[in-house]
Amino acid sequence: MQILVLAYADNVQIIGPIQEAMTAASDFKSRVQQINLQLNDADSNIHCPERVLDALVQPFSMTAQSRIEGSNASIPRSSVGFMVLGCPVGTEIYLRSRANALLADIQQETSKLAKFPHHHHRTKVLVFGTNTRFVYHARSWPCSLSQEYATHIDSAVTTTVQQAYPLFADESTLSESSLNRQRNAQQQLRLN
């Protein structure tokens, strides 16, 4: 039986049947330790696709992943998905759990932007926190999931702009040219 090993920097994704994958994980960890490197177990994963039916019977949660105990640490084991270079790959349940976590992080972070003292800093953080980070994570999602979560993030952006830029909260106080600039700026921040 073949095992797929995807290793990058300090993490590894091992894909295959459970017994062979566990053996490969143990072997990989010992080889990494032999050359005095440290494996980042938190970002590593053993993915066993044949266990997908088990995962469908039990609702998936990120904290419910079982772990493979190793010599000095443990590698999470999952049958529903894993991360490769920061992008989730797996079942819709897994992708949604990752998308929900990302959306919660973005909403929490953007809600704090009103405290930034300078508008320029607010805008830069808002662009990175929404557009850049979302697109980076969503590149491995199906289009329908990307579209759905883009709508949620756009809503968070609109709320944030109204809270972080009080001048824009009441459009009736803006001149036509200022209103157009505000709408153009918001459109550039939006994903849809």
Side-chain angles (χ1 to χ4, degrees):
M1 183 61 61
Q2 288 189 340
I3 299 295
L4 177 62
V5 178
L6 304 169
Y8 180 76
D10 65 348
N11 63 70
V12 64
Q13 309 301 319
I14 300 173
I15 305 163
I18 187 71
Q19 293 301 337
E20 290 88 348
M22 289 174 60
T23 302
S26 177
D27 184 49
F28 188 84
K29 286 182 76 164
S30 66
R31 288 176 189 240
V32 165
Q33 290 170 348
Q34 285 174 2
I35 58 174
N36 295 322
L37 293 177
Q38 184 70 31
L39 183 64
N40 182 349
D41 293 322
D43 288 340
S44 298
N45 197 300
I46 295 176
H47 183 64
C48 306
E50 79 272 8
R51 297 180 49 102
V52 170
L53 290 178
D54 294 347
L56 294 176
V57 174
Q58 303 171 359
F60 174 76
S61 77
M62 296 302 288
T63 58
Q65 284 186 341
S66 54
R67 299 183 84 78
I68 306 291
E69 296 302 323
S71 55
N72 293 325
S74 60
I75 298 176
R77 182 185 66 197
S78 170
S79 57
V80 294
F82 57 98
M83 300 291 284
V84 176
L85 298 176
C87 290
V89 178
T91 65
E92 183 177 352
I93 293 169
Y94 181 76
L95 294 177
R96 284 189 178 279
S97 72
R98 300 301 299 194
N100 285 332
L102 176 63
L103 178 60
D105 285 349
I106 288 172
Q107 288 172 330
Q108 179 185 17
E109 292 166 9
T110 57
S111 70
K112 298 175 183 177
L113 284 179
K115 296 178 184 172
F116 274 64
H118 303 289
H119 292 295
H120 177 74
H121 294 153
R122 291 179 195 173
T123 304
K124 291 293 185 186
V125 171
L126 184 61
V127 168
F128 174 77
T130 56
N131 292 12
T132 308
R133 193 163 45 153
F134 174 81
V135 171
Y136 178 83
H137 285 84
R139 64 191 167 160
S140 64
W141 298 348
C143 291
S144 59
L145 189 64
S146 295
Q147 184 67 33
E148 177 183 338
Y149 281 87
T151 301
H152 294 306
I153 290 175
D154 282 347
S155 176
V157 166
T158 299
T159 301
T160 299
V161 167
Q162 290 172 348
Q163 292 171 349
Y165 303 92
L167 173 66
F168 295 152
D170 183 8
E171 292 184 354
S172 66
T173 62
L174 300 176
S175 69
E176 189 63 33
S177 63
S178 294
L179 187 57
N180 286 335
R181 281 195 305 275
Q182 177 207 346
R183 288 180 180 153
N184 288 339
Q186 282 185 354
Q187 189 58 41
Q188 290 175 5
L189 291 171
R190 297 178 63 82
L191 295 163
N192 282 323

